[in-house]
Amino acid sequence: MSKKVLFCATVDVHFKAFHLPFIRWFKEQGWEVHVAANGNTELPYVDRKISLPIQRSPLQWNNLKAYHELKTIMNRENYEIVHCHTPMGGMLARLAAREARKHGTKVIYTAHGFHFCQGAPLLNWLVYYPIEKILSHFTDCLITINEEDYALAVKRGFKAQRIEHVHGVGVNTERFQPLDDIHKQEIRLKFGYQPDDFLMFYAAEFNKNKNQQLLIEALAMIKDECPNARLLLAGEGVLQAKCSDLAKRLGVSDKVDFLGYRNDVDQILPMCDIAVASSIREGLPVNIMEAMASGLPIIACDNRGHRELVSNHKNGWILEQNDSQGLADKIKLLVRDQDLRLQLGRSGREMMEQTYAIHEVLNEKCSIYTDFMGGRESVKWATQ
């Protein structure tokens, strides 16, 4: 009989976006893979898909139903490993696995950026910190994806059996890579842009945390000096209309392209000149890793996730939050200095290849998994 692993998160698209290489790795080891989450997304490499009514808000009654379903499933299936993700998925899975842990199930939780961190609102500390501290008692391995979260969990005495740091979920450095000038111009024409356009890219949901308004304000400051500058915003969300209205008021609506949800970011990024990021809080942002893998310099607002990836004058700059003037000044510098853009972009690409490439992160995760699998000598290690 094959061993079983359960992956759990709030919504199933989380696995499609970030975890398929790890799910596939378990299949390659001969394990039976189950996934539990809300949604109807088809997932490869999965033997059983369990639909749960998990809601992002902890105050929804459906979460109680999801908890009882998870508990029943875990007690019946005798999973060797449960790996849970996202705040609600992680909370419900760890609570539901308490009885299963007594019979040998090992519970791994990946914190994709604690909601409490340096500079986070007091309410986040009052609500999320005690929850995570308590739940650490029911965690065999807590995985953090940035150094700040790792240091916080250790310093604050989280009671997980192990606390580990891995470099995020990895980035596909073959899918995301720089283009030579000829192919770059070909793709620009394909998407309707001109060779001399200066393209700035940001992919994120339109919400308060992502703060796209800052980017539009900075663009308005440089519109006269840099008339060819354009801002490409991929994503959807409740604040998209507000951002569109702001662009009109500031006279840059013809320079801001709202691209909506995209599944071709790997084509769009390499044709751009720089990536910008205005978010207030990040764990370890995949959008920045993809931009760096594509050879773009980064201008980003200060938060723990951006600090983990961006070093001043090495692959871009970190600016104080809401510093629209500083953002505008750095954009102008890169508009004028192509050699600097190339230098910063190459440095970022090298960083992704050496540390954050998917095969590097996969090996970090595999090392943790094998400690809970038994029979290390039989494990097949990933090469890519």
Side-chain angles (χ1 to χ4, degrees):
M1 182 181 296
S2 62
K3 295 183 177 181
K4 299 177 186 176
V5 59
L6 173 68
F7 286 85
C8 182
T10 304
V11 293
D12 55 14
V13 292
H14 179 81
F15 294 114
K16 185 173 184 179
F18 303 120
H19 300 293
L20 290 185
F22 311 105
I23 292 174
R24 181 179 64 185
W25 182 82
F26 268 99
K27 287 298 296 178
E28 291 170 350
Q29 310 309 308
W31 281 50
E32 186 175 329
V33 178
H34 294 190
V35 168
N38 197 341
N40 299 305
T41 302
E42 291 188 12
L43 299 173
Y45 320 118
V46 171
D47 295 290
R48 183 185 177 195
K49 177 92 171 356
I50 303 162
S51 182
L52 295 173
I54 303 178
Q55 304 297 310
R56 284 192 173 94
S57 171
L59 302 179
Q60 297 291 321
W61 280 105
N62 273 343
N63 287 325
L64 184 60
K65 181 180 178 182
Y67 161 75
H68 286 297
E69 290 184 24
L70 265 177
K71 185 177 179 180
T72 300
I73 292 165
M74 290 180 185
N75 291 340
R76 182 181 66 236
E77 295 290 344
N78 298 314
Y79 296 110
E80 273 74 23
I81 294 175
V82 171
H83 192 171
C84 49
H85 303 264
T86 69
M88 282 309 301
M91 182 179 78
L92 295 176
R94 284 182 286 174
L95 289 174
R98 286 175 296 170
E99 185 66 28
R101 287 184 74 227
K102 297 177 182 178
H103 300 283
T105 298
K106 300 300 182 182
V107 176
I108 302 172
Y109 169 59
T110 297
H112 294 271
F114 289 134
H115 285 297
F116 49 91
C117 59
Q118 180 181 342
L122 177 60
L123 182 62
N124 286 23
W125 281 91
L126 294 175
V127 174
Y128 293 105
Y129 173 74
I131 292 175
E132 290 289 358
K133 185 75 179 288
I134 292 169
L135 289 175
S136 70
H137 289 265
F138 312 122
T139 309
D140 293 289
C141 184
L142 167 62
I143 298 176
T144 59
I145 63 171
N146 59 63
E147 291 284 359
E148 184 177 313
D149 283 357
Y150 175 79
L152 186 154
V154 172
K155 182 179 180 180
R156 298 271 178 164
F158 280 40
K159 298 302 182 182
Q161 295 297 310
R162 287 173 56 178
I163 301 174
E164 299 284 351
H165 169 240
V166 302
H167 293 89
V169 297
V171 61
N172 188 330
T173 51
E174 293 187 355
R175 180 183 173 203
F176 293 90
Q177 56 181 308
L179 292 176
D180 59 51
D181 286 341
I182 293 176
H183 289 95
K184 189 171 185 176
Q185 300 310 329
E186 288 178 354
I187 293 181
R188 283 190 172 206
L189 292 174
K190 172 186 172 183
F191 280 96
Y193 296 102
Q194 298 304 311
D196 61 345
D197 284 338
F198 185 83
L199 304 181
M200 303 177 287
F201 186 79
Y202 185 47
E205 180 183 353
F206 283 85
N207 59 38
K208 185 177 180 181
N209 178 54
K210 300 305 182 181
N211 197 25
Q212 285 93 338
Q213 294 95 323
L214 179 71
L215 306 178
I216 297 171
E217 292 169 0
L219 177 63
M221 292 178 178
I222 67 170
K223 63 180 181 179
D224 295 328
E225 293 181 72
C226 309
N228 294 331
R230 300 185 67 91
L231 176 62
L232 281 57
L233 298 175
E236 300 173 335
V238 295
L239 295 184
Q240 181 173 341
K242 185 176 181 180
C243 288
S244 179
D245 290 341
L246 177 63
K248 292 175 183 177
R249 291 201 308 272
L250 296 179
V252 291
S253 59
D254 61 330
K255 300 177 182 298
V256 182
D257 294 333
F258 295 91
L259 305 180
Y261 173 80
R262 306 297 297 225
N263 55 16
D264 58 351
V265 172
D266 56 329
Q267 297 183 52
I268 297 173
L269 266 172
M271 76 172 183
C272 294
D273 295 289
I274 68 172
V276 288
S278 49
S279 51
I280 299 168
R281 294 179 306 279
E282 292 288 354
L284 195 72
V286 172
N287 59 346
I288 297 300
M289 291 193 288
E290 291 174 346
M292 290 170 63
S294 301
L296 302 189
I298 311 296
I299 308 175
C301 291
D302 188 22
N303 63 52
R304 64 189 158 162
H306 291 162
R307 287 194 300 270
E308 192 97 353
L309 296 171
V310 183
S311 298
N312 287 335
H313 309 291
K314 183 178 180 181
N315 63 321
W317 292 279
I318 295 290
L319 305 176
E320 292 185 8
Q321 291 187 5
N322 295 314
D323 182 7
S324 55
Q325 184 60 62
L327 178 59
D329 291 341
K330 293 303 183 187
I331 293 172
K332 287 190 291 184
L333 174 61
L334 291 179
V335 168
R336 296 165 181 158
D337 197 333
Q338 182 181 17
D339 290 339
L340 179 59
R341 295 201 305 269
L342 294 174
Q343 174 190 329
L344 297 174
R346 281 194 297 267
S347 179
R349 170 70 186 185
E350 290 172 2
M351 182 179 178
M352 291 299 102
E353 290 178 322
Q354 295 170 6
T355 305
Y356 292 91
I358 187 64
H359 59 275
E360 297 289 345
V361 176
L362 181 56
N363 282 333
E364 290 180 342
K365 284 273 190 75
C366 292
S367 180
I368 295 171
Y369 286 144
T370 53
D371 287 342
F372 294 104
M373 292 170 72
R376 174 183 282 268
E377 68 281 354
S378 67
V379 170
K380 303 172 187 175
W381 288 88
T383 57
Q384 176 69 23

